[in-house]
Structure formats: structure tokens, C-alpha cells
Amino acid sequence: MKYPTIVLFALAALVLPTLATNDYLWGTIGDNDYKLAKDTVSKAFFVGVVQKKTYVFKQSNNLDALTITAIKVTDKKKSNGATVVLSSGGPGSKGATLKFTSERGCGISDLVEIWGR
């Protein structure tokens, strides 16, 4: 009885990380929020190299700039997705800087959506 359970947990521990994606959400998307930006961040893979990319969101007119309420990053890769760090700005501010880092030998392919009001 113990062995099938152990085998099941071991199999789940091997399979689930490969199915997991690196999706992120900072803040909350409200009913009255507008989509301020929708951009694809991508960088091709190179064998043995960790790829890095910085995404900067700025609004052109500071006087009429909306306040960011949420940033949603959706990983478009099924496995080996990039990690994302919100290095400055974000919810409650007018701009944001995101830093993407791929796994070694993998590329970056993410969808960034920024919401505000």
C-alpha cells in the first residue's frame, strides 16, 4: 500500500515542475481599470547563455498619466519560462520597470499587460 503512494508522489514531483509556468500578477485588476499597455517581451535563446531583458513602461504625459493598479505577466512558454522581477514602479505609481531573466540556454517569451485608472 505504501509503495504506490510513494511512486505517485515521486512522479508528481517530476512532472509538475515541467508543467508550471512563470505567470505573475502585481496588484489587482478592478472593474473600472483601463488596459494601459499590452506588449510582448521576447528574446531568442542562445545555447549555454542566460538571456536578460528589461521592459520599461512610461506614460508620455505626466500631467494626464494614469496610476497603475496591476501588472500581469503571462509566460507564453510551456516550460523553462523566464523569471520576472518588478525592479521599480508598479501598482500605485505612474511607470514600471520589469527585468526578465531566462534559464540557461532558453529564451524569453512573455506577454505584459499593464492596467490602471
Side-chain angles (χ1 to χ4, degrees):
M1 280 290 196
K2 292 181 185 177
Y3 295 115
T5 305
I6 293 171
V7 170
L8 181 65
F9 282 125
L11 184 61
L14 292 173
V15 171
L16 289 178
T18 60
L19 298 176
T21 58
N22 293 334
D23 294 339
Y24 298 89
L25 177 64
W26 291 279
T28 55
I29 302 170
D31 293 335
N32 297 327
D33 292 348
Y34 299 100
K35 191 179 290 187
L36 304 178
K38 182 177 179 179
D39 295 311
T40 300
V41 177
S42 61
K43 192 165 186 181
F45 76 93
F46 195 78
V47 178
V49 176
V50 174
Q51 299 288 15
K52 295 184 178 196
K53 190 154 188 176
T54 301
Y55 173 82
V56 178
F57 172 75
K58 272 182 158 177
Q59 297 182 58
S60 59
N61 189 354
N62 247 355
L63 296 176
D64 295 329
L66 299 174
T67 301
I68 295 172
T69 56
I71 298 174
K72 182 178 178 182
V73 178
T74 306
D75 188 5
K76 295 170 82 175
K77 297 178 79 171
K78 302 256 189 237
S79 62
N80 300 325
T83 58
V84 184
V85 175
L86 178 62
S87 61
S88 68
S93 65
K94 308 288 184 187
T97 302
L98 300 169
K99 293 189 178 185
F100 294 80
T101 305
S102 75
E103 291 185 16
R104 186 169 305 280
C106 298
I108 299 170
S109 182
D110 290 291
L111 178 67
V112 176
E113 294 176 295
I114 300 180
W115 299 79
R117 64 177 108 125

